[in-house]
Amino acid sequence: MKADYEEKIPNNVELKEDRRLQRALESWQPNFLNWWESMGPALPTEDVYLRTAVNVGRDGWAHFDHVAMKDYRWGIFLADREKDRTIGFGQHRGEPAWQKVPGEYRADLQRLIVIQGDTEPASVEQQRNLGAIAPSLYDLRNLFQVNVEEGRHLWAMVYLLQAYFGREGREEAEELLHRNSGSEDAPRILGAFNEETPDWLSFYMFTYFTDRDGKYQLGTLKESAFDPLSRTCEFMLKEEAHHMMVGTTGVDRVVERTAQVMVENDTDDVGGLGVVPLDVIQKYLNFHYSVSLDLFGGDTSTNVANYYTAGLKGRWMEGRRKDDHKLTDESIHVDALVDGDIGTTEVAALVGLNTDLRREYIADCQGGVKRWNRILEQAGLPRRLALPHVAFNRKVGAFAGIEAAPDGRRLTADEWAAERGKWLPTETDKTYVRSLMQPVHERGKIAAWIAPPKQGINGKPFDYDYVHLA
Ligand SMILES: [Fe+2]
Ligand SMILES: [Fe+2]
């Protein structure tokens, strides 16, 4: 279906056929724009070289141009409807996918959409001040691209709430703009989305590890029996791929530059040489990875078992799993404290679905570490980065109540307090990283702590005028 760009709200859902919904969304739109002005990117710009979704099909869905960010065409785009789509898992497996919300699942579906929706504007808020300390115009452009797309993801969830959940849905849509990241009175729902993103190393780690959690959550919602949710998430995943790229290549470039300076000076001790030492990169990695693991929830969950059986939320790559897609007789080993020690315990597969998803995510994260280590190897350096143990720095799940080192060693509370500064960024580390963040807003130039990208955006060179500052 072709996107309608004539309308106030670009969409491919034939919004003009539904006056009530159109009016509801048009009255939410100014609130969204107010939020964007007050909580979105703080750095004033004339225009930014952005891609805008114009169509959801395989070709030409993205259109690139210099646009003023406040005029960005946030819209509602669902992937094309799959004819005769049936439900792929749970007790309704094989039945036609739902085009409306079944009354019995209304509250649960609404909750799932609100939780996903809450993360989208949260990250924009967290990244609000990064523009002022961007290492290059290329990076600045990527930050803004991620920001406008997270804004669009909020639109996607608000559309579902307003179109399918009546008055309660409209109220939840308002709440999504009232809660704010880090707020005392009305914080965002999930912990990682109330953390600060104070520097660009944090930003790359966030887009690598925390946006990747988003990818996995969207992947499970894409399987949903509720077809509009499924189609929304499918399209969001295409945009999410760019956010992953920003994180992956961002960390690549930090590691690459650090490795260069280590080799040039024949030392590990590069803290005074204007780049981020490897052990500080490892600490940032430890932090972002462990808080992102928490986003997957408890190791076991009867709620999630119920969501699966009801058909609301599937597994990652549900279609490729070789089982009965009901899991009533299966089991899984999940993380657990066994006699007070780090171990695993066997539970019904249905209640272990959070663990299943977290493990898919962990396997994916290994990919990043592998490529960053290849950069170190190619530089001839013996040092390597690693993902910390799953019990390290956890606030949710079986290991929330204990302390463990990155290698999985159990620690007493005192040992943890004495040693945590070796594994998590200290104030000194953060201050040092922050000191490197001198803005480079000049075309073709880049900060000294990061290597330039291998490629520009949409075939443009690195020294392209990606952003015009105001
Ligand atoms: Fe998103
Ligand atoms: Fe994202």
Side-chain angles (χ1 to χ4, degrees), residues 11 31 110 114 121 130 156 159 174 183 199 257 300 321 429:
N11 71 90
N31 300 344
Q110 183 177 308
V114 166
L130 288 176
Y159 162 72
E174 293 300 329
S183 155
D199 59 67
R257 183 69 189 126
T300 60
R321 306 288 185 119
D429 296 328

Side-chain angles (χ1 to χ4, degrees), residues 329-350:
D329 303 320
E330 318 268 332
S331 65
I332 183 175
H333 279 90
V334 301
D335 293 326
L337 284 181
V338 182
D339 302 327
D341 282 331
I342 293 170
T344 63
T345 184
E346 190 171 6
V347 299
L350 280 171

Side-chain angles (χ1 to χ4, degrees), residues 57-323:
R58 191 170 272 277
D59 29 67
W61 72 273
H63 170 81
F64 285 84
D65 208 351
H66 280 99
V67 291
M69 264 197 294
K70 66 174 178 20
D71 299 333
Y72 187 77
R73 304 292 276 145
W74 283 285
I76 297 158
F77 302 100
L78 274 60
D80 288 330
R81 189 165 157 182
E82 186 189 315
K83 205 172 154 278
D84 303 325
R85 175 173 174 250
T86 57
I87 300 167
F89 61 94
Q91 63 182 349
H92 302 292
R93 177 168 156 81
E95 296 171 18
W98 313 322
Q99 301 306 325
K100 293 223 150 51
V101 179
E104 60 197 304
Y105 302 135
R106 195 182 173 83
D108 284 342
L109 271 172
Q110 183 177 308
R111 185 76 192 144
L112 286 170
I113 292 167
V114 166
I115 291 175
Q116 180 62 41
D118 193 67
T119 66
E120 311 290 354
S123 63
V124 178
E125 294 165 356
Q126 290 170 292
Q127 295 159 16
R128 172 170 166 75
N129 294 311
L130 288 176
I133 50 172
S136 73
L137 291 184
Y138 163 88
D139 289 282
L140 187 58
R141 177 262 165 218
N142 285 347
L143 167 71
F144 292 151
Q145 182 74 60
V146 170
N147 291 162
V148 293
E149 284 176 354
E150 300 302 6
R152 206 203 68 73
H153 292 175
L154 172 61
W155 271 93
M157 293 296 118
V158 163
Y159 162 72
L160 293 175
L161 288 170
Q162 297 207 342
Y164 296 96
F165 295 89
R167 195 165 61 85
E168 273 184 52
R170 288 194 292 279
E171 285 167 9
E172 290 288 7
E174 293 300 329
E175 286 307 308
L176 287 171
L177 296 176
H178 289 153
R179 281 187 296 273
N180 291 137
S181 179
S183 155
E184 289 277 308
D185 318 324
R188 292 296 174 184
I189 298 170
L190 300 171
F193 292 90
N194 288 304
E195 300 283 351
E196 277 180 63
T197 311
D199 59 67
W200 280 74
L201 181 56
S202 299
F203 173 65
Y204 299 132
M205 291 291 179
F206 184 96
T207 41
Y208 187 84
F209 289 107
T210 307
D211 273 286
R212 190 171 307 272
D213 156 74
K215 168 182 158 183
Y216 280 80
Q217 302 300 339
L218 292 174
T220 64
L221 296 174
K222 181 180 87 103
E223 305 291 341
S224 183
F226 179 41
D227 204 43
L229 175 60
S230 165
R231 291 165 56 207
T232 303
C233 290
E234 187 172 338
F235 186 64
M236 287 164 76
L237 277 165
K238 292 189 180 168
E239 291 169 320
E240 212 59 61
H242 173 265
H243 309 179
M244 311 280 101
M245 185 285 281
V246 169
T248 310
T249 58
V251 180
D252 280 0
R253 293 159 54 212
V254 179
V255 172
E256 185 187 334
R257 183 69 189 126
T258 295
Q260 255 173 23
V261 173
M262 285 170 72
V263 169
E264 279 166 18
N265 295 276
D266 194 19
T267 178
D268 283 1
D269 189 13
V270 291
L273 298 171
V275 295
V276 190
L278 278 185
D279 57 351
V280 176
I281 296 176
Q282 178 69 59
K283 289 183 194 183
Y284 273 65
L285 183 162
N286 289 347
F287 173 75
H288 286 273
Y289 174 70
S290 56
V291 301
S292 299
L293 289 183
D294 280 346
L295 291 172
F296 291 83
D299 304 277
T300 60
S301 164
T302 47
N303 274 346
V304 174
N306 294 337
Y307 295 160
Y308 185 83
T309 301
L312 311 185
K313 188 178 174 188
R315 283 173 294 174
W316 180 252
M317 297 284 170
E318 184 68 46
R320 291 199 201 157
R321 306 288 185 119
K322 303 247 180 301
D323 51 38

Side-chain angles (χ1 to χ4, degrees), residues 340-342 391-393 399-405 407-421 423:
D341 282 331
I342 293 170
F392 173 79
N393 191 38
F399 305 136
I402 62 152
E403 302 301 350
D407 62 6
R409 232 171 349 112
R410 236 351 250 288
L411 301 174
T412 65
D414 287 346
E415 287 168 333
W416 169 255
E419 296 199 73
R420 59 172 286 164
W423 306 313

